Structure formats: structure tokens, C-alpha cells
């Protein structure tokens, strides 16, 4: 077996995982790891969840994929469910986060055309943000390291400093058609938006007739203790982009709009696989567990449990600068090299990835058990000790 046939775009750990159950993963030698990455906030119900397996089995026996030339009840049911649980009215289905962001970008551009003509085309995005790797999403991703080798990007974009009202006021005008942001910047370092800033963003969008687009790809679908991240902040965006946990491990993305942002018409956008019956059936099963099954309602409790333990570690180890984030989107800010820290966690059989330049990210499944939290914290304690 040789890995050289896979394009070398990732820095990977030297392990191959072949099996998972709950928040445990097993490598090709049968070695057990505690998975606090969850496929980067994807496996919200852990690995091998029976409801997901059942949905795949049942739906794959009926029909997996048709085409968006035809209807299927699963997609309709999923859209109904998402709209009934939100302030929004319609959904476009795709297959990933970056694709969901493309919908957000196109909706904003079309909204500008419809309401202000050719000149209303400016999209504002945040520094340190992450929205994906396609050229559109990359063009609104505020990190030079991702953009630099792929310029020219799409035009008509402007970046502002996150949580800086003055900077946004300076750059906002009637030519802006949309403001795109993550309520909590995941990749950028678990940076939480301030409510004051969010309210100002919403007000500036309204005053300038621009759409507010939330990227909830990482922080949405229960991770903050509410189904949608915006519920945690009490500011409702016009467009919500989601993916990752929406399928619990099966690829699906979606962008959901309110009436105001409902501008896309027949022929404006498309996706061959978007909203296929199999993905929709899995997503319905995931939402049933998360919402109706009460998984999300326990997130705050689990968050408090792990954060109390991390607080104790912070007292014990001065290399911990801060415990960041909300709910089960957790960042540990360290004053040591976080790549090395993540490697030492891995060597001790705990999976945790970095965020930004100085943060270790913990993204346990939303149904994580306290015993698994205890084990993970024990490993963190052991790793932190190696820095004394
Ligand atoms: C992961 C992520 C994306 C991109 O999603 P893909 O499914 O990898 O395309 C976009 N935005 C945020 C906030 C993300 O965390």
C-alpha cells in the first residue's frame, strides 16, 4: 500500500483508522483513541450511531439518488424540518460547507442586483475567518495563507476586523450586498463574536439593505447548545449556511434563507447530488436524535462539566492562557507550539486539532459521555505535565 497516489495537500498523522464507535476510534493495529475531533465537528453522534446506520440501510434499499429534475419526499421533509425549527423559509441543499457558502455568496450578489443594480455587489467578510476552499468561499476567507497562491480571487470583496464596529462602519455603504461571518470563528482560533458587535452588524446591514450571512458550518447544528448558532446570540441572519454535523458523517450541506433573501430563481443554482434522498434521510435521522431525542438539550450541561475540568487544568498549568468558545466548541489557548501539543496528545491516544496559531480545539461528539470527558482530560493533564 502506498499513499503517494493521494495528492499531498494535507499534513496527516501517521495512522490509519479503520473502525469507530461512539467517541472511540481504532487504528489498523486495533489501538484505541479518544476522538475529540469528530471529523472536525462532523460526527455529532459519534461513530457507528445505530440511527444513522439504520437510515442508510433503509433508504439505500429504496432509492439513493435520483436528480433534482424530480421530487423525493426525504428532501422535502428535511427542508420542512429545518424551516420549522428556524426563522427561515426555504433551503438549498448541497454536499459540503464550501458549497453552502457559494450559495450564500450567490444569494448576496443576486440580492444586490435585484435591489441596487450593478454597483451593489460588494461582499464584506471578516479577517481570520474560514469559509472553505472553492474560489468563491476562499475569496471571503480572511487568511492570507489560504488565499495567496490562488489569486486573482473573485472581485468585489472587502475584509474587516472581526469584532471591530468602527472598521465595519467605515467600510459599509449602499454598495454592500452582503456581510458574511462565522458567529464563532472555528479555524481562526475559536474567536467568539461579541453580542454588541453582532447587533451592530445586523443594524448596519439593515441600514444599507445588505444581507447578513452566517457561516454556521462548524458552530451550528447543536454544537453551541442550540440547533442553530444564531439562537445563542439572539441575532437572526438572513442566510444560514450549514454542513458538517448536518449529516452526522454523511456528506450534506445546506443554505437556508428568509423571505427577504429568497432571491434565487429557477436556473440560478444547482447541484447534481444536492439533497439526494440518502443524504436527506440520514440528516433527518441525525436531527431526530439531536432535537427530538434531546441530545442538544444536554450540550450545556456537558459543556459545563468539561469546562470545569479544563478550568482546574488552567489553574495547574500556566501554559494555558484561556479556555475559549461556547458549548462543545472548545478552544484551549496555549503559549507553547500547538502543533507539537496536538502531536503529544496523539501520542497519548487523544485526538485534538489546532485552531489558529495558538489554540487546541476540542470537538467531542455532542452525545459524549462524562467518562469519556474524564479520560480525555486525564490525557490532557498528562500531556500538560510534559511541559513542566
Ligand atoms: C469546515 C468549514 C467550511 C468548509 O466546509 P467543507 O465541507 O470542508 O467544504 C466552511 N466554513 C466553516 C466555518 C468551516 O468550519
Amino acid at each position: 500500500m502506498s499513499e503517494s497516489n493521494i495528492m499531498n495537500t494535507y499534513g496527516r498523522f501517521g495512522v490509519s483508522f479503520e473502525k469507530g464507535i461512539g467517541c472511540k476510534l481504532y487504528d489498523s493495529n486495533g489501538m484505541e483513541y479518544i476522538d475529540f475531533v469528530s471529523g472536525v465537528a462532523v460526527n455529532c453522534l459519534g461513530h457507528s450511531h445505530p440511527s444513522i446506520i439504520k437510515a442508510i440501510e433503509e433508504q439505500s434499499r429504496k432509492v439513493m439518488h435520483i436528480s433534482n429534475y424530480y421530487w423525493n419526499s426525504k428532501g422535502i421533509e428535511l427542508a420542512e424540518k429545518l424551516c420549522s425549527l428556524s426563522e427561515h423559509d426555504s433551503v438549498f441543499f448541497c454536499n459540503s460547507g464550501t458549497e453552502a457558502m457559494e450559495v450564500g455568496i450567490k444569494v448576496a450578489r443576486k440580492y444586490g442586483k435585484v435591489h441596487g443594480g450593478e454597483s451593489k455587489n460588494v461582499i464584506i467578510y471578516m479577517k481570520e475567518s474560514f469559509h472553505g476552499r472553492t474560489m468563491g468561499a476562499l475569496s471571503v476567507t480572511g487568511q492570507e495563507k489560504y488565499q495567496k497562491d490562488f489569486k486573482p480571487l473573485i472581485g468585489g470583496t472587502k475584509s474587516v476586523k472581526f469584532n471591530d464596529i468602527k472598521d465595519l462602519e467605515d467600510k459599509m455603504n449602499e454598495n454592500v450586498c452582503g456581510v458574511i461571518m462565522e458567529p464563532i470563528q472555528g479555524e481562526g482560533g475559536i474567536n467568539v463574536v461579541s453580542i454588541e458587535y453582532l447587533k451592530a452588524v445586523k443594524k448596519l446591514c439593515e441600514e444599507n439593505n445588505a444581507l447578513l450571512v452566517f457561516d454556521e458550518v462548524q458552530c451550528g447544528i447543536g454544537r453551541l447548545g442550540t440547533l442553530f448558532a444564531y439562537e445563542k446570540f439572539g441575532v437572526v441572519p438572513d442566510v444560514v449556511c450549514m454542513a458538517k454535523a448536518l449529516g452526522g458523517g454523511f456528506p450534506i450541506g445546506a443554505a437556508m434563507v428568509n423571505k427577504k433573501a429568497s432571491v434565487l430563481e429557477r436556473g440560478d443554482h444547482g447541484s447534481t447530488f444536492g439533497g439526494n434522498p440518502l443524504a436527506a434521510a440520514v440528516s433527518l435521522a441525525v436531527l431526530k436524535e439531536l432535537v427530538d431525542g434531546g441530545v442538544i438539550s444536554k450540550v450545556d450541561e456537558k459543556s459545563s462539566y468539561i469546562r470545569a475540568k479544563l478550568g482546574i487544568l488552567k489553574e495547574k498549568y500556566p501554559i494555558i492562557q484561556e479556555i475559549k468558545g461556547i458549548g462543545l466548541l472548545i478552544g484551549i489557548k496555549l503559549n507553547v507550539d500547538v502543533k507539537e501539543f496536538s502531536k503529544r496528545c496523539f501520542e497519548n491516544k487523544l485526538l485534538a486539532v489546532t485552531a489558529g496559531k495558538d489554540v487546541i480545539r476540542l470537538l467531542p461528539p455532542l452525545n459524549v459521555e462524562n467518562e469519556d470527558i474524564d479520560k480525555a482530560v486525564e490525557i490532557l493533564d498528562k500531556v500538560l505535565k510534559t511541559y513542566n
Side-chain angles (χ1 to χ4, degrees), residues 40-41 95-101 130-134 137 182 184-187 215-219 243-244 252 361:
V40 193
N95 314 288
S96 67
T98 198
E99 284 176 68
M101 294 317 299
F130 182 83
H131 298 295
R133 309 300 200 122
T134 52
E182 300 153 88
I184 299 185
Q185 295 186 327
E187 199 68 35
D215 178 346
E216 296 201 0
V217 170
Q218 184 162 161
C219 62
K244 289 200 165 105
I252 182 169
R361 210 171 353 169

Side-chain angles (χ1 to χ4, degrees), residues 89-292:
D89 299 281
S90 59
V91 183
F92 182 91
F93 289 120
C94 51
N95 314 288
S96 67
T98 198
E99 284 176 68
M101 294 317 299
E102 295 296 320
V103 181
I105 292 167
K106 283 179 78 172
V107 165
R109 278 278 164 83
K110 176 101 192 247
Y111 185 85
K113 288 277 183 309
V114 171
H115 293 277
E118 288 303 316
S119 58
K120 192 174 178 64
N121 61 30
V122 176
I123 293 174
I124 288 185
Y125 66 98
M126 306 286 149
K127 298 204 160 96
E128 310 307 323
S129 60
F130 182 83
H131 298 295
R133 309 300 200 122
T134 52
M135 290 304 280
L138 182 63
S139 301
V140 294
T141 287
Q143 300 192 48
E144 183 61 14
K145 66 174 179 194
Y146 294 130
Q147 292 188 339
K148 66 177 175 15
D149 288 341
F150 304 99
K151 291 178 178 180
L153 301 169
I154 70 164
T157 61
K158 258 195 242 172
S159 67
V160 296
K161 207 164 161 250
F162 187 63
N163 274 339
D164 184 332
I165 298 176
K166 178 76 177 43
D167 196 20
L168 185 63
E169 279 170 350
D170 288 348
K171 287 177 180 139
M172 199 73 179
N173 58 48
E174 71 278 9
N175 286 337
V176 174
C177 60
V179 173
I180 295 182
M181 63 184 295
E182 300 153 88
I184 299 185
Q185 295 186 327
E187 199 68 35
I190 319 295
N191 308 317
V192 181
V193 74
S194 82
I195 300 225
E196 189 200 5
Y197 181 70
L198 211 46
K199 286 191 172 141
V201 176
K202 175 84 180 173
K203 187 161 163 277
L204 284 165
C205 281
E206 278 167 359
E207 286 168 4
N208 292 280
N209 196 19
L211 295 180
L212 178 56
V213 180
F214 273 9
D215 178 346
E216 296 201 0
V217 170
Q218 184 162 161
C219 62
I221 314 294
R223 184 124 314 254
L224 305 189
T226 50
L227 177 59
F228 300 105
Y230 74 76
E231 297 173 71
K232 206 76 195 184
F233 300 96
V235 171
V236 185
D238 301 297
V239 184
V240 185
C241 301
M242 55 200 128
K244 289 200 165 105
L246 184 60
F250 197 87
I252 182 169
M256 188 169 69
V257 299
N258 60 14
K259 288 214 168 62
K260 184 180 170 190
S262 184
V263 288
L264 293 188
E265 296 170 311
R266 191 169 292 183
D268 276 346
H269 201 49
S271 165
T272 295
F273 292 122
N276 68 76
L278 185 55
V282 175
S283 183
L284 275 166
V286 169
L287 290 178
K288 195 161 174 221
E289 290 293 332
L290 291 181
V291 179
D292 312 302

Side-chain angles (χ1 to χ4, degrees), residues 10-128:
Y10 298 101
R12 298 185 209 249
F13 288 92
V15 67
S16 174
F17 288 117
E18 306 295 338
K19 208 179 107 173
I21 181 150
C23 69
K24 307 275 172 48
L25 272 173
Y26 299 88
D27 71 11
S28 42
N29 299 317
M31 190 65 83
E32 183 180 288
Y33 292 70
I34 298 178
D35 181 10
F36 270 31
V37 175
S38 302
V40 193
V42 168
N43 306 308
C44 55
L45 297 173
H47 300 282
S48 306
H49 193 283
S51 299
I52 295 181
I53 295 171
K54 185 163 167 273
I56 293 173
E57 274 178 1
E58 284 180 0
Q59 189 58 44
S60 64
R61 283 206 187 89
K62 290 181 193 157
V63 61
M64 276 196 259
H65 174 80
I66 33 174
S67 134
N68 285 304
Y69 283 116
Y70 313 99
W71 292 104
N72 175 268
S73 60
K74 291 295 175 199
I76 298 171
E77 215 183 304
L78 178 59
E80 256 175 9
K81 179 122 188 153
L82 288 168
C83 292
S84 74
L85 293 166
S86 68
E87 264 73 16
H88 301 78
D89 299 281
S90 59
V91 183
F92 182 91
F93 289 120
C94 51
N95 314 288
S96 67
T98 198
E99 284 176 68
M101 294 317 299
E102 295 296 320
V103 181
I105 292 167
K106 283 179 78 172
V107 165
R109 278 278 164 83
K110 176 101 192 247
Y111 185 85
K113 288 277 183 309
V114 171
H115 293 277
E118 288 303 316
S119 58
K120 192 174 178 64
N121 61 30
V122 176
I123 293 174
I124 288 185
Y125 66 98
M126 306 286 149
K127 298 204 160 96
E128 310 307 323

